Amino acid sequence: MRVSVIFAGAAAQQVGSQKEDVHLPMTLNVCTQSGCEAQKKGVTLDANWRWLHKVGSSSNCYTGNSWDPSSCPDPETCASNCGLDGVPTEDWASPYGITSDGDQLKLGFVTQGQYSRNVGSRTYLMDTEETYQMFKLKNKEFTFDVDVSQLPCGLNGALYFVQMDADGGKSKYEGNKAGAKYGTGYCDAQCPHDVKFINGEANSKDWTPSPTDPNSGVGHYGTCCAEMDIWEGNTISHAYTAHPCSVDGQTRCEGKECGDDTSGDRYNGKCDKDGCDFAPFRLGNSTFFGPGSSFILDTTKPMTVVTQFITSDGTDSGELVEIRRKYVQGGKVIENPAAVSGGSGHVSISEDFCSAAKKDFGDVDAFSQQGGLKAMGDALEKGMVLVMSLWDDHAAHMLWLDSDYPTDQPSTKPGVARGTCATTSGDPDEVEKDHGDSSVAYCNLRVGDLDSTYDASRAPSCSAGQMSVVV
């Protein structure tokens, strides 16, 4: 049920009234060296997944991967005809497959609801009912627990930050009447074209339904912003990646500035789509992360993930110079492994590591072209929104995360091997059919001073098993 977002009046992104909108509970722990304070927050669902229907009726404005021609013959008419509706308590578990107990958020992969089949999800942490929680992470650390034991090849449980507007663009764009409460305003460094409303306007111009995804398509515009991938992973591989952009905050793009692969402009756009990634397997360490006790990090068990944002002068306003990583599992703090190939010897993301890895792998250095760590730090200083998601990949079958990629290059070439999944794996049709019951769990969100959010004695507690919903 990947439905879209909406509009009202004269091209205004309005709200439907047929369903109550309820945010799931989620706790954020804010920490100092003296301890942590638990703050009650909420979770909302991205607008693309919500029911979009004709105002005053239950007729869909968007069904499958296409706009309804009678309600949406053009962007302006669509805006005045259609409304984005709420997610009541009973809809979170079905059709969306999402549950929360207040400390843990579990995202199911495929859920068959009464009227539709939902695949994956994208959610945001809220500060208030109307605004996203904004994270300013320079000279801070962000920590969470995760259980990826139920994520096979081809799936990605992704937790990351993007430079969205705190209110989802509601105050910036007159046409956006829904705002953050209804999950509007998404953007990332891929400048995605599948977002159905951008800047409070319908993205139905030149809309092309996906030939492989029955729920999605692409429109004329994309939506760009800086992205900090704290975690992208499954049972086989994981990475953390910085994606700077030359734009400041959420920005609509078209043509060359979107950096679309289809037009050959991947490295001519406003964002670094490749990013600078620290992925242990890709960097030559095949024994660090994987399923079973033979790996240093055992993905059959939950783990704590710590990410630290180091500045040049140890202040919140200093220039970002390094992004460090630590883990906790089995009663031990586990340091990030050193790169074996591609920036050999480096143990974190830094300008030196990124330059060396790009050179060693023969990759285009779009990271430096888009401003590198300084640009990433600027976005982190202004504030970014936390995204927690689960998805499969119709474009590249997630091979860039867990297999050999590009597939036309030998696996022995540095940077090509990224995991042990077969290059034939990850086809969404097969993954959804064979592993629809997959899930990921995120819990114990913590943010605060460096070295204040983790402890070897505190065992990770996430579980991707069954749980009850508390609202």
Side-chain angles (χ1 to χ4, degrees), residues 300-356:
T300 67
K301 301 176 181 179
M303 64 191 72
T304 299
V305 182
V306 184
T307 309
Q308 300 179 321
F309 299 88
I310 310 302
T311 60
S312 58
D313 59 2
T315 70
D316 296 358
S317 58
E319 185 173 321
L320 182 68
V321 294
E322 186 182 6
I323 306 173
R324 296 176 185 167
R325 169 58 57 83
K326 301 174 187 287
Y327 306 87
V328 180
Q329 192 180 64
K332 298 182 296 183
V333 175
I334 301 169
E335 300 294 334
N336 206 38
V340 178
S341 63
S344 178
H346 289 276
V347 296
S348 61
I349 291 177
S350 65
E351 291 289 355
D352 287 345
F353 162 73
C354 295
S355 295

